Amino acid sequence: MKAECQCGQLSVRLPGPTPAVVACHCVACQRRSGSPFGVLAYYAADEVSIEGETKRFERPTDAGNRFETFFCPNCGSTVYAKTAKHPTMIGVAVGAIADPAFQAPVRSVWEQSMHKWVSIPGDVQHFPKGRGSG
Ligand SMILES: [Zn+2]
Ligand SMILES: [Zn+2]
């Protein structure tokens, strides 16, 4: 199983499915992803392997941490992200995995800025902001 950018230059090989899938409706994730919400699947950084060139963008979070996104310098797709809050984890963009059978989100955060037509179905934990603090 792997995640890759539009042009295929940047890819992340994954060990398989993960239950740790989070939908985030914060405005920064809307802008990062170009979609009404972002969905990341979290893995331990040492269980994935990254191939290709990346560019990195770093921004502060509301909780005072730093959030880094890594994207393909050629086609601009965000393929993965890291947060200083969980330095051993990597969040892989679920859209880059492009598998319709991939695990649905178990957590939906920053619903205070969720688009009105969106609902995340199933057995999901809902948070108006981040979990504890975003
Ligand atoms: Zn690319
Ligand atoms: Zn977000």
Side-chain angles (χ1 to χ4, degrees):
M1 182 173 270
K2 75 175 182 176
E4 65 179 18
C5 65
Q6 292 177 90
C7 77
Q9 186 275 130
L10 173 60
S11 64
V12 181
R13 194 158 291 282
L14 308 171
T18 175
V21 179
V22 181
C24 183
H25 308 273
C26 83
V27 170
C29 282
Q30 293 183 21
R31 295 210 164 102
R32 165 180 72 73
S33 66
S35 303
F37 57 98
V39 188
L40 295 175
Y42 284 92
Y43 291 87
D46 62 5
E47 62 182 6
V48 307
S49 59
I50 296 156
E51 233 178 89
E53 233 182 286
T54 59
K55 267 199 97 167
R56 190 179 69 94
F57 173 73
E58 181 180 305
R59 64 169 169 84
T61 68
D62 289 352
N65 284 309
R66 282 186 322 284
F67 185 82
E68 298 171 285
T69 55
F70 295 83
F71 55 95
C72 173
N74 183 46
C75 71
S77 308
T78 296
V79 178
Y80 63 98
K82 289 179 182 175
T83 166
K85 193 178 168 194
H86 302 291
T88 62
M89 303 296 283
I90 172 171
V92 177
V94 169
I97 301 168
D99 176 359
F102 198 76
Q103 158 82 48
V106 293
R107 202 148 57 232
S108 174
V109 301
W110 289 98
E111 290 192 343
Q112 69 178 25
S113 47
M114 184 166 78
H115 282 223
K116 300 297 177 219
W117 56 269
V118 170
S119 70
I120 306 293
D123 189 13
V124 184
Q125 290 180 284
H126 299 276
F127 298 89
K129 294 187 175 186
R131 182 175 57 150
S133 50

